[in-house]
Amino acid sequence: MTKQQSILIRTMIAGLFSSSVQIAYAENSAEETSTPNDIKKLDTITVKTSSIKDQKGLNIDKPSEAGSRLGLTIRENPASVAVADRQKMEEIGARNFQDAANSLPGVNASAPPGWGGFIAYRGFTGAQVNQLFNGISLQYNSANRPVDAWVYDRVELVGGPSSFLYGSGSIGGSLNYVTKLATRDEDIKEARISYARYDTMETAVGLNHALNSSNWIRLDFSRNSSNGYIDRQEREANSLAVSWLADVTPRLSHTLALEHHVEREDSPYWGTPTLNPQAGTLKIDKSNRFENYNVKDGVYEQRVTWARSITDYKVSDNTSLRNTFYHYQGQRDYRNLEVYTYSANNSLITRSDAYMQRHDQELTGNRIELLHNGELFGLKSDWSFGADYSINRQTVYPTSLLSKSRGQFFDVVTPENFDPGSFSDIPGMNNGLVKGRSTKVKTLSAFIENRQYLSQHLSLVTGLRYDHIDFLFDNTPGVSPATFNRQWDAFTGRAGMVFDVNDNANIYAQYSTSAEPPGGTLTSSSNTTVRNFSLSTGYQMEIGSKMNYLDGRGTATLAAYRIVRRDFPVTDPQNSSNTIQAGQQTSKGIELASSLQITPKLRAEGNIAWINAEFDDFNETIGSTVISRKGKTPVNVPDQVANLRFVYEITPAWQAGIGARYVSSVYANNANTMSVPSYTLFDAHTKYRLSKNADLTARVRNLTDEVYARFIHQSNPQYYVGEPRSLEVALHIRF
């Protein structure tokens, strides 16, 4: 990306807040309104007079489950909360829930194999950003593999620590992926078919139907397949979501929801090796960027099943009770040759690190919540109480041949015209799966939340959670210790104030805390990562504002924060073979988001995030030497992320849109001596309404055919190259 492109995107986003936009609107209105009737028509379509349901762009006055169990709107919540709803997902052409997440302020998401779903947000990555499915955490990054978007209703984002809502973890924030459910609102019958470059195809159907006056069903199914933009990487995925809503009595209802996802990638792409010397800005051979150095029969495969039983009981007009029983069953299989390294003169590539593994994971739990809307001291006071109990089991079956530990590799090939070989050709890799470690994490939680009005314009929102975590570890057979057990207790919370300056704007301030297991994720922990360590802790201070401006045509949110994560395991500076609990990381930043109806036909929406993340206390072992990384930026953390989109309603039948996304350069190692360039992606779409119930959309992604890395592997610097320019045509029909 050029410096000029970066400046252009940031300037245009800032322009959404400029008073000059109001002048542009007035000038445009003067040109388009030459009669009193036209003027009247303009008045009736302003955002201020539109309903909450129909409002486009940022909708801060719609009740949201994100960030609170009290049913607060985004405006009422003393936290940075953003939502990519179904309308936005369709507008940006989201193919999976990560595409939707990347439209939210400050989020940089990707899905390199082995990581599942990788998120960088507010200076943190991995387990420090909680990912949830319908408010339920699987507590394992590899389980967060992005699922195709059709079955999802929205993606919710909460900035900063949210342990008081979702349990341990989430120092950086939480992303919640919410599935479509049966609803009483309307009958829906729809279908979508699309075709794009690389034989990428989607076929999807959706149905929401009333069986009678007290029963509704919903079914959503999608099938996706692609030959992939990387050589030999083929993908096929099927997603099914079914739910049944039944009104048992006028006060009692029950929803049964089932989901099943199956995905398979043949010869998954593990990255493009970077050229020597590996220093400064890393480079790749662009002529070979679509080569796949995995073996021909490499595979990634997952099979996932979710079941939820949701019971809602309205105790009174002011009190309601909800019970959610949930069960998850997941199996993930890997069989790949994963690491590729250039020779000193960049003429040959060494292929190494054969790895075969299966994850068997099962999560079962039950959550009960009570919501009461009442008064205290004559002022409105809302309460939420609840408890959650879950058991998370996982067993892994690893078989590996790692070059780092054994000094071995599979072969050396030329960058082009090589025989990829078979996984069974690798010595020791044809003996099948071998059972490894097993973990069981039992969590018992109790939580409470309150919103108390102190005056007509001032409210105090507080939350407190207690987690008791019981961790049982069974080691790989024959490895000592054979088993061990650890327990932790955590208290986390949030306190925030919201002051309504007037009907259009407020300001808020909050303080929140977090707790996380040592090593980040217990489901993948071992004796060395847990030992006798305590929970790592963290806190955030945030101030912000949410507002409407320009007579309601514009909506904006602003947040500034400081987050400190501390007491995580690091190398002992006095003994490289020892680990101590002394790490600290700090992140500071500003997030800005806005949507503006510039003219009756032209709408702009954008967001920008500035992040300053660094280690305060972190040591790394290089050889036998312990080196401090104090003041360095974590790997794969951009210091700036921005999105901008314009949508123009040309006529009632024609719509056009153009978007841009900027991600700044990221470091590829903790020493910050290697980096990956920044990039800017442009996309454009046009939609034609064939009839009242049918739309045809053409969309071009990566308009400038930018070569960029969505992710950089830290252990062996390999670009995870993003998708080149592609054209997609989609037909969406509503019956």
Side-chain angles (χ1 to χ4, degrees):
M1 185 196 109
T2 66
K3 182 177 180 181
Q4 290 77 10
Q5 288 174 327
S6 170
I7 295 173
L8 176 62
I9 291 177
R10 287 176 284 181
T11 302
M12 294 174 78
I13 293 174
L16 293 180
F17 293 87
S18 173
S19 60
S20 64
V21 176
Q22 187 172 18
I23 298 173
Y25 183 94
E27 291 175 348
N28 197 299
S29 298
E31 294 175 1
E32 296 184 12
T33 58
S34 57
T35 68
N37 289 335
D38 290 333
I39 295 174
K40 183 178 180 180
K41 187 179 296 183
L42 272 176
D43 291 339
T44 62
I45 63 171
T46 59
V47 174
K48 186 175 182 178
T49 59
S50 63
S51 69
I52 289 176
K53 181 178 178 181
D54 296 332
Q55 184 173 327
K56 297 179 180 180
L58 303 184
N59 193 343
I60 61 176
D61 292 312
K62 183 178 181 179
S64 172
E65 296 180 9
S68 173
R69 301 188 191 280
L70 295 170
L72 306 179
T73 65
I74 293 176
R75 186 196 296 270
E76 294 170 330
N77 204 320
S80 51
V81 176
V83 178
D85 58 14
R86 191 68 225 170
Q87 175 184 285
K88 185 171 187 177
M89 292 167 72
E90 292 179 2
E91 185 173 274
I92 66 175
R95 293 163 294 182
N96 55 56
F97 60 59
Q98 276 199 350
D99 286 346
N102 275 331
S103 71
L104 300 173
V107 175
N108 191 31
S110 57
W115 289 81
F118 178 84
I119 306 292
Y121 179 55
R122 289 201 168 185
F124 297 90
T125 61
Q128 283 74 59
V129 182
N130 206 353
Q131 296 185 66
L132 308 113
F133 296 84
N134 301 295
I136 303 165
S137 175
L138 292 173
Q139 303 171 355
Y140 191 45
N141 282 340
S142 292
N144 300 325
R145 178 81 174 177
V147 176
D148 296 328
W150 179 262
V151 301
Y152 286 93
D153 179 70
R154 62 189 183 276
V155 174
E156 304 171 335
L157 174 67
V158 183
S162 42
S163 297
F164 77 98
L165 278 174
Y166 305 121
S168 61
S170 70
I171 179 69
S174 293
L175 276 164
N176 187 26
Y177 312 118
V178 182
T179 312
K180 295 175 181 176
L181 284 177
T183 175
R184 305 176 183 88
D185 292 346
E186 57 183 332
D187 268 10
I188 297 172
K189 297 182 182 71
E190 59 181 341
R192 172 185 160 89
I193 183 169
S194 69
Y195 182 82
R197 190 180 179 185
Y198 307 110
D199 291 329
T200 301
M201 297 184 65
E202 178 195 35
T203 304
V205 294
L207 167 73
N208 189 85
H209 181 65
L211 298 176
N212 52 43
S213 60
S214 58
N215 288 270
W216 296 261
I217 60 168
R218 175 147 201 154
L219 181 149
D220 292 280
F221 172 79
S222 69
R223 176 180 176 83
N224 286 265
S225 62
S226 176
N227 289 333
Y229 59 92
I230 299 296
D231 183 41
R232 295 185 288 107
Q233 177 178 271
E234 298 183 357
R235 176 182 184 269
E236 184 176 295
N238 295 284
S239 296
L240 174 67
V242 181
S243 56
W244 168 30
L245 168 62
D247 286 340
V248 183
T249 72
R251 290 185 177 272
L252 178 65
S253 66
H254 178 263
T255 301
L256 178 64
L258 302 173
E259 297 170 48
H260 187 63
H261 308 286
V262 178
E263 179 188 12
R264 179 185 173 93
E265 277 194 8
D266 292 326
S267 196
Y269 167 64
W270 282 82
T272 300
T274 51
L275 296 166
N276 290 310
Q278 291 182 336
T281 301
L282 297 175
K283 298 177 177 63
I284 63 172
D285 183 345
K286 294 183 180 181
S287 66
N288 297 326
R289 68 185 185 275
F290 300 136
E291 288 288 346
N292 189 345
Y293 297 102
N294 200 350
V295 289
K296 63 183 178 183
D297 56 347
V299 71
Y300 169 79
E301 190 171 12
Q302 74 165 357
R303 294 158 295 281
V304 168
T305 301
W306 276 100
R308 289 179 292 147
S309 173
I310 308 166
T311 303
D312 289 292
Y313 180 62
K314 194 170 182 61
V315 180
S316 68
D317 291 343
N318 296 321
T319 306
S320 60
L321 185 69
R322 166 171 286 191
N323 187 85
T324 303
F325 171 81
Y326 52 91
H327 178 76
Y328 166 88
Q329 184 77 47
Q331 186 180 87
R332 298 173 291 277
D333 283 294
Y334 305 82
R335 187 179 68 235
N336 300 284
L337 188 62
E338 302 176 359
V339 173
Y340 326 117
T341 307
Y342 271 107
S343 59
N345 63 358
N346 297 316
S347 62
L348 299 172
I349 291 176
T350 299
R351 301 193 300 166
S352 61
D353 287 48
Y355 200 63
M356 176 170 59
Q357 176 156 269
R358 169 172 289 176
H359 301 164
D360 276 334
Q361 185 178 6
E362 182 179 3
L363 172 68
T364 304
N366 192 83
R367 182 173 61 221
I368 186 168
E369 306 164 73
L370 178 71
L371 176 63
H372 177 70
N373 303 118
E375 289 188 355
L376 187 64
F377 308 120
L379 294 169
K380 186 176 179 181
S381 184
D382 302 323
W383 293 86
S384 173
F385 307 88
D388 195 337
Y389 179 73
S390 66
I391 301 176
N392 196 343
R393 298 181 177 91
Q394 177 161 276
T395 301
V396 296
Y397 300 81
T399 300
S400 63
L401 186 63
L402 305 180
S403 58
K404 292 183 182 62
S405 59
R406 304 186 186 183
Q408 299 181 12
F409 58 89
F410 175 47
D411 63 4
V412 178
V413 300
T414 58
E416 297 177 325
N417 302 318
F418 62 92
D419 180 4
S422 173
F423 196 81
S424 60
D425 296 335
I426 304 172
M429 291 293 107
N430 55 0
N431 297 324
L433 296 169
V434 179
K435 184 179 182 298
R437 65 181 183 272
S438 297
T439 59
K440 179 192 289 186
V441 183
K442 295 189 288 186
T443 306
L444 175 63
S445 307
F447 46 85
I448 183 173
E449 194 176 354
N450 172 252
R451 193 263 300 267
Q452 174 66 53
Y453 272 91
L454 305 179
S455 71
Q456 183 179 355
H457 299 287
L458 181 65
S459 62
L460 171 66
V461 182
T462 55
L464 181 66
R465 183 183 181 106
Y466 164 73
D467 289 299
H468 175 73
I469 304 170
D470 189 335
F471 175 65
L472 178 64
F473 178 82
D474 288 324
N475 215 335
T476 301
V479 178
S480 181
T483 183
F484 67 87
N485 177 248
R486 283 297 316 274
Q487 295 181 345
W488 298 274
D489 295 286
F491 286 93
T492 55
R494 180 183 73 173
M497 301 283 287
V498 180
F499 178 68
D500 295 325
V501 179
N502 52 43
D503 291 341
N504 292 314
N506 69 17
I507 55 175
Y508 70 87
Q510 64 127 301
Y511 178 85
S512 54
T513 64
S514 72
E516 67 180 62
T521 304
L522 288 178
T523 48
S524 60
S525 292
S526 64
N527 176 50
T528 56
T529 58
V530 175
R531 294 184 180 178
N532 295 315
F533 294 141
S534 303
L535 294 175
S536 302
T537 60
Y539 67 88
Q540 173 183 260
M541 294 179 289
E542 178 177 318
I543 58 172
S545 179
K546 300 164 187 181
M547 70 193 80
N548 295 327
Y549 61 97
L550 295 182
D551 297 325
R553 296 196 309 276
T555 304
T557 63
L558 173 65
Y561 61 87
R562 181 176 185 268
I563 304 174
V564 177
R565 178 190 177 217
R566 55 193 176 187
D567 299 328
F568 55 88
V570 296
T571 302
D572 186 345
Q574 307 302 320
N575 182 359
S576 62
S577 62
N578 189 37
T579 302
I580 60 175
Q581 198 164 6
Q584 180 166 305
Q585 178 183 341
T586 300
S587 180
K588 298 174 285 186
I590 297 174
E591 293 170 358
L592 180 66
S594 180
S595 177
L596 176 63
Q597 196 71 40
I598 301 175
T599 75
K601 295 182 178 181
L602 178 62
R603 175 169 53 87
E605 185 173 343
N607 54 65
I608 187 168
W610 294 273
I611 307 106
N612 179 12
E614 62 181 32
F615 292 117
D616 303 315
D617 190 346
F618 182 73
N619 303 315
E620 190 173 29
T621 303
I622 306 297
S624 59
T625 305
V626 179
I627 300 176
S628 172
R629 299 306 187 194
K630 181 178 180 180
K632 303 299 184 180
T633 299
V635 174
N636 276 305
V637 171
D639 60 18
Q640 200 171 117
V641 178
N643 293 286
L644 180 63
R645 180 165 298 276
F646 292 93
V647 178
Y648 186 65
E649 305 291 342
I650 304 170
T651 70
W654 283 94
Q655 181 194 84
I658 187 167
R661 173 172 173 79
Y662 168 71
V663 178
S664 67
S665 174
V666 299
Y667 288 111
N669 61 350
N670 289 322
N672 292 178
T673 58
M674 296 187 293
S675 64
V676 177
S678 62
Y679 62 88
T680 302
L681 302 178
F682 296 94
D683 68 273
H685 81 273
T686 182
K687 182 169 69 174
Y688 176 63
R689 176 153 292 183
L690 297 169
S691 67
K692 180 181 178 181
N693 299 316
D695 297 325
L696 183 65
T697 303
R699 187 181 307 273
V700 181
R701 306 178 194 273
N702 194 358
L703 269 169
T704 59
D705 205 21
E706 178 98 339
V707 178
Y708 66 102
R710 293 192 63 180
F711 175 87
I712 184 71
H713 290 272
Q714 179 179 358
S715 56
N716 182 71
Q718 292 176 188
Y719 267 47
Y720 189 70
V721 176
E723 182 181 3
R725 180 168 49 224
S726 65
L727 170 66
E728 176 190 87
V729 179
L731 176 65
H732 194 152
I733 302 173
R734 298 168 179 85
F735 302 98

